[in-house]
Amino acid sequence: MSDRWANAGLLKAGGDWLEYSCFGPAPGQAPTLVLLHEGLGSRDLWRDFPKRLNAATGWGVCTYSRAGYGGSEPAALPRPLDYMSHEARVVLPEVLHAIGFERGLLIGHSDGGTIAAIYAGTVHDPRLRGLVTIAPHFFTEEIGLTEIARAKQAFESGDLRSRLAKYHRDPDNCFRGWNDTWLHPEFKDWNVSDVLEEIGVPVLAIQGQEDQYGTLAQIDEIDRRCPKPTRRVVLPGCGHDPCYERPDQVLTELTRFCADVEPDVVRPGAGS
């Protein structure tokens, strides 16, 4: 295996072709950080964060767009109400196989944080050294549902659709797959908190104090239920996207967490 990955390409997982990008050393040379995007995110919407994360830790970094997002194949709609569990248990294992994952962390934002936590709590992968959840959801809250309803108005009568079209080849598939599911009447009862009790690795939980999609009760649930050590970081004055709003602080916390779980292989600046 080469000591560095191909920069970008397509991989097959869950029956769909998904776009991906990788940075830094290949899995056989260093641990890997796999980034899972939010409900309206994509590979490219991480912006320069993956490269900065590689430079800060010296670890490999891989990010991909789930079906329906970015340049990946469209998703079948409507999505089932358990779509995040399906992503965690069916699609993500195939993604990790496709990139040659050997050891490392999952780092998930919003829906991606939920998917990462479900994977950690149900698959019990011995290659997984730790879990990072950034603004995750484990149950519905009225504050989040209200914000998601506002997003629907912005998509239908505002400029949200045109903004999404810059990053997603099918903005309608992207938006409807997320928004219609969250606003489904039966989704109010959605709750996956029980998976937290089965997570067997250390957890870093990051959330903005002003997160418009969820309260700190979400990461309180991590503190309460996870059996392994957890670290919580609450960022004052920060909303739902800490990687964009507070990138330097998030990078500092991630680098520290990597050093805690794999102290012999974190080499700040080695990936630059």
Side-chain angles (χ1 to χ4, degrees):
M1 178 184 291
S2 170
D3 64 348
R4 301 188 77 81
W5 283 333
N7 287 335
L10 295 172
L11 59 83
K12 193 71 173 286
D16 297 306
W17 287 104
L18 310 180
E19 65 177 5
Y20 76 94
S21 292
C22 297
F23 306 89
Q29 305 298 319
T32 305
L33 303 170
V34 180
L35 306 185
L36 288 80
H37 63 74
E38 63 168 315
L40 294 178
S42 69
R43 177 193 68 178
D44 294 342
L45 274 166
W46 287 101
R47 300 176 179 86
D48 68 344
F49 191 79
K51 291 182 179 179
R52 294 187 65 188
L53 186 55
N54 164 237
T57 63
W59 292 23
V61 180
C62 183
T63 179
Y64 69 100
S65 296
R66 299 191 295 275
Y69 297 97
S72 294
E73 287 193 289
L77 300 183
R79 289 188 186 273
L81 300 189
D82 65 347
Y83 74 95
M84 284 181 272
S85 294
H86 175 81
E87 287 285 344
R89 295 168 179 163
V90 177
V91 183
L92 182 54
E94 295 183 17
V95 170
L96 298 180
H97 176 76
I99 66 172
F101 184 76
E102 294 186 12
R103 59 180 170 139
L105 308 180
L106 298 178
I107 301 174
H109 174 218
S110 193
D111 277 16
T114 307
I115 293 165
I118 295 171
Y119 181 90
T122 60
V123 177
H124 306 299
D125 186 344
R127 301 170 299 176
L128 193 63
R129 301 295 194 261
L131 169 69
V132 181
T133 63
I134 303 171
H137 311 285
F138 303 110
F139 49 87
T140 56
E141 295 183 279
E142 195 59 40
I143 182 177
L145 296 176
T146 298
E147 195 66 24
I148 291 167
R150 290 196 186 103
K152 181 178 181 180
Q153 294 177 340
F155 185 83
E156 292 177 346
S157 58
D159 67 348
L160 180 56
R161 188 182 187 283
S162 62
R163 289 190 285 121
L164 291 176
K166 297 176 182 178
Y167 295 96
H168 306 282
R169 72 177 189 180
D170 188 338
D172 294 275
N173 188 265
C174 161
F175 185 80
R176 294 301 179 193
W178 168 75
N179 193 264
D180 289 357
T181 303
W182 274 87
L183 295 183
H184 190 286
E186 294 180 12
F187 201 74
K188 288 184 177 181
D189 297 325
W190 173 82
N191 189 316
V192 294
S193 299
D194 57 337
V195 302
L196 298 172
E197 298 174 0
E198 302 298 325
I199 293 177
V201 295
V203 179
L204 169 63
I206 301 175
Q207 187 163 345
Q209 195 165 33
E210 307 304 323
D211 190 334
Q212 62 271 40
Y213 284 94
T215 72
L216 296 179
Q218 301 290 339
I219 60 173
D220 289 344
E221 201 77 351
I222 294 174
D223 286 340
R224 187 169 71 88
R225 290 192 179 232
C226 284
K228 288 290 184 177
T230 64
R231 172 173 167 75
R232 62 184 283 149
V233 175
V234 178
L235 302 174
C238 180
H240 188 60
D241 194 351
C243 293
Y244 180 70
E245 299 174 55
R246 300 287 191 276
D248 292 340
Q249 290 174 269
V250 174
L251 284 167
T252 296
E253 294 294 342
L254 290 177
T255 303
R256 179 188 304 174
F257 189 65
C258 289
D260 287 343
V261 298
E262 291 279 359
D264 296 332
V265 294
V266 175
R267 296 169 289 116
S272 59

